[in-house]
Amino acid sequence: MNTAVGRFAPTPSGRMHIGNVYAMLAAWLSAKSQVNPVIGLPGRVFLRIEDVDGSRAVPDADKWIMDDLHWLGLDWDGEPVYQSRRSAIYREALYALQSIDLDADAPLGDRSHVSGKVLVTRGDSSVSAGRLPDVPKGSAGRFPLVYPCFCSRADLRAACAPQEGDRFLIYPGTCRALLAGDPNEVRSRLEARRRHSWRIAVPDDEMGGGSVAFDDRVFGRQVFDLARDVGDTVIRRSDGVFAYQLVVVVDDLLMGVNDIVRGRDLLRSTALQVWIRKALIASGFAERYGIGSDDVAESDRGDAAGKARPVGTSVNPVYAHVPLIDAPSGQRLAKRKRSPDLGVLRAAGVEPEQVIGYCAWLLGVRKSDGIGNCGAAGPVPMDAQEALERFSWEQVKTDVSDRKLTVNWESELVSPKSATVA
Ligand code: GLU
């Protein structure tokens, strides 16, 4: 049985606020509550500083985050991993993805995890330097998995209807159609060094479509149609920055993360990330990093009955998406909206047990088990270890609606009814 491996994945764009602590606590509780019966040890948690987009990173925010995690008693294993130092790995991943095609005619293989058309290796090295692959001829159903996109933001805004909440724009396929219809034009634009991003394609209706299904610990069975719900997505931006959607998959794969906990606004992203993960495995990228073919074979086998896989028995991650915490105004808590952060709370004399107790309460930790006074309707202070003794995903699942903080939540941190269910 594999040990659970979770991760904290903060973006160092400011000091943590209560919503970040709630997500970190959930990730920590999830991994630590899974004790490997063979070795008798709890799961591990890694810390990954998601600073791939340097323009969003605030100097020293990584240090504040680590200091706050220590203060909260949320420990992690090993050294922190900085995405800003991993560009060579992300570049290699992009090249690997550029070496495969979507193939509508290929046998379907195992549909239980990612259904739809199969990814096939092109079998030549024409793309090893990130060049545009030749568009395969004589097989209408074949298309490069990754293609250049010359659309500007304004083009996209004009063409795409934003989806609810998670800022997903379903790409209308402009440059996909361009490559299919006029590959020479695409080649000459690349030669002229026209600004472009790289997109990963999903099987469209013409190719027979495809969907991703996974079982979320909180929200249950999730099924996303790749063409309709996700669309072709940027994995390297036109400014050269590798996109979150690619780097998160590369890192989770290479770090052996198998227990992913985060906000429910990323449910749809998970479908895309399952697709990217599948493609990285098909490209041979994972194997080059020692993720063996045995593991891969198992991870790709899935569960034909469509049931959740027992936790920790394969390298496929298990996902848990937690309800969001909204500010009193109803807006999502975010660092840039100046919600009271841990710096403000700590300066006001709030204790770590109050913050942990509050977040544990938001996660449904309620019942008294003889430790302290946890029978009350509202949050009670407790440390991370006490929260761990009372935590279960079953409790989180009993109420999946988003939480909204009340206006005076700071001063009410430890008193009953300081947050309400939206
Ligand atoms: N850095 C991302 C965030 O702060 C993490 C997303 C994820 O867990 O994949 O929202």
Side-chain angles (χ1 to χ4, degrees):
M1 179 175 181
N2 291 343
T3 295
V5 180
R7 59 4 178 231
F8 300 136
T11 306
S13 56
R15 193 125 185 197
M16 288 203 285
H17 56 67
I18 196 90
N20 302 124
V21 177
Y22 158 86
M24 304 278 175
L25 178 65
W28 187 89
L29 291 172
S30 181
K32 297 291 169 190
S33 63
Q34 297 173 57
V35 175
N36 183 318
V38 180
I39 54 174
L41 291 175
R44 291 145 63 86
V45 180
F46 293 131
L47 171 62
R48 185 167 73 229
I49 304 293
E50 301 217 322
D51 57 352
V52 69
D53 181 357
S55 68
R56 290 188 64 204
V58 169
D60 288 338
D62 57 329
K63 298 193 181 62
W64 303 333
I65 289 166
M66 288 190 256
D67 184 60
D68 287 337
L69 286 171
H70 282 309
W71 181 77
L72 290 161
L74 299 179
D75 52 348
W76 64 89
D77 294 273
E79 292 297 314
V81 170
Y82 285 79
Q83 290 185 328
S84 55
R85 300 174 193 166
R86 293 167 66 80
S87 302
I89 296 172
Y90 305 143
R91 194 169 306 117
E92 198 189 323
L94 176 68
Y95 292 168
L97 295 178
Q98 285 172 326
S99 74
I100 48 185
D101 288 336
L102 281 174
D103 189 346
D105 301 325
L108 287 180
D110 178 5
R111 281 174 165 258
S112 59
H113 192 54
V114 176
S115 64
K117 302 309 173 188
V118 158
L119 301 156
V120 291
T121 308
R122 192 171 296 116
D124 65 29
S125 56
S126 65
V127 293
S128 58
R131 286 186 286 119
L132 177 70
D134 286 331
V135 181
K137 295 194 181 67
S139 169
R142 245 175 119 156
F143 194 78
L145 178 70
V146 173
Y147 65 89
C149 174
F150 303 92
C151 296
S152 66
R153 275 208 194 144
D155 294 336
L156 296 177
R157 262 197 304 273
C160 311
Q163 302 292 305
E164 28 72 31
D166 56 11
R167 289 181 294 157
F168 244 91
L169 297 177
I170 310 296
Y171 183 58
T174 318
C175 288
R176 180 169 174 155
L178 180 71
L179 180 58
D182 192 355
N184 286 335
E185 168 62 18
V186 174
R187 210 161 275 120
S188 64
R189 286 189 192 185
L190 286 178
E191 274 158 22
R193 295 180 171 269
R194 276 268 298 269
R195 200 177 162 87
H196 62 278
S197 60
W198 288 92
R199 281 185 190 272
I200 186 164
V202 296
D204 60 13
D205 287 345
E206 264 174 50
M207 296 190 123
S211 63
V212 164
F214 59 93
D215 292 291
D216 187 79
R217 281 191 207 270
V218 177
F219 286 88
R221 185 78 170 162
Q222 302 290 308
V223 182
F224 289 88
D225 181 290
L226 281 166
R228 251 178 299 287
D229 301 327
V230 176
D232 296 355
T233 307
V234 170
I235 56 171
R236 204 190 75 162
R237 297 178 353 196
S238 62
D239 60 4
V241 174
F242 290 97
Y244 156 75
Q245 301 287 9
L246 175 68
V247 301
V248 75
V249 180
V250 170
D251 290 340
D252 285 338
L253 190 59
L254 299 191
M255 292 166 77
V257 171
N258 58 18
D259 193 66
I260 295 180
V261 179
R262 53 195 183 182
R264 66 136 183 90
D265 53 336
L266 289 168
L267 273 167
R268 187 204 307 248
S269 289
T270 295
L272 171 64
Q273 291 171 18
V274 169
W275 175 244
I276 295 175
R277 184 182 176 97
K278 174 103 176 163
L280 282 172
I281 290 170
S283 73
F285 170 83
E287 242 174 309
R288 283 206 289 281
Y289 280 86
I291 298 178
S293 49
D294 288 352
D295 297 338
V296 168
E298 193 198 338
S299 84
D300 264 5
R301 240 189 325 267
D303 179 344
K307 291 199 211 88
R309 187 195 300 275
V311 173
T313 57
S314 88
V315 296
N316 257 355
V318 177
Y319 295 93
H321 291 81
V322 291
L324 303 181
I325 310 292
D326 293 332
S329 61
Q331 278 180 315
R332 192 166 168 208
L333 274 186
K335 284 160 255 185
R336 60 184 172 278
K337 288 183 191 126
R338 304 208 55 77
S339 3
D341 60 30
L342 281 188
V344 174
L345 296 178
R346 286 173 67 170
V350 170
E351 297 293 331
E353 291 78 12
Q354 291 173 281
V355 179
I356 292 287
Y358 189 85
C359 292
W361 178 72
L362 291 171
L363 286 166
V365 171
R366 290 283 184 282
K367 293 211 182 80
S368 171
D369 59 358
I371 306 161
N373 170 25
C374 198
V380 290
M382 67 179 82
D383 64 22
Q385 203 55 42
E386 289 168 321
L388 178 59
E389 282 156 26
R390 296 171 175 136
F391 171 79
S392 85
W393 278 117
E394 287 308 309
Q395 285 169 324
V396 182
K397 265 165 63 175
T398 56
D399 180 5
V400 299
S401 50
D402 287 347
R403 278 70 162 147
K404 193 193 232 168
L405 303 172
T406 54
V407 180
N408 298 321
W409 69 273
E410 261 178 284
S411 51
E412 294 167 348
L413 249 187
V414 292
S415 54
K417 297 192 179 63
S418 53
T420 56
V421 169

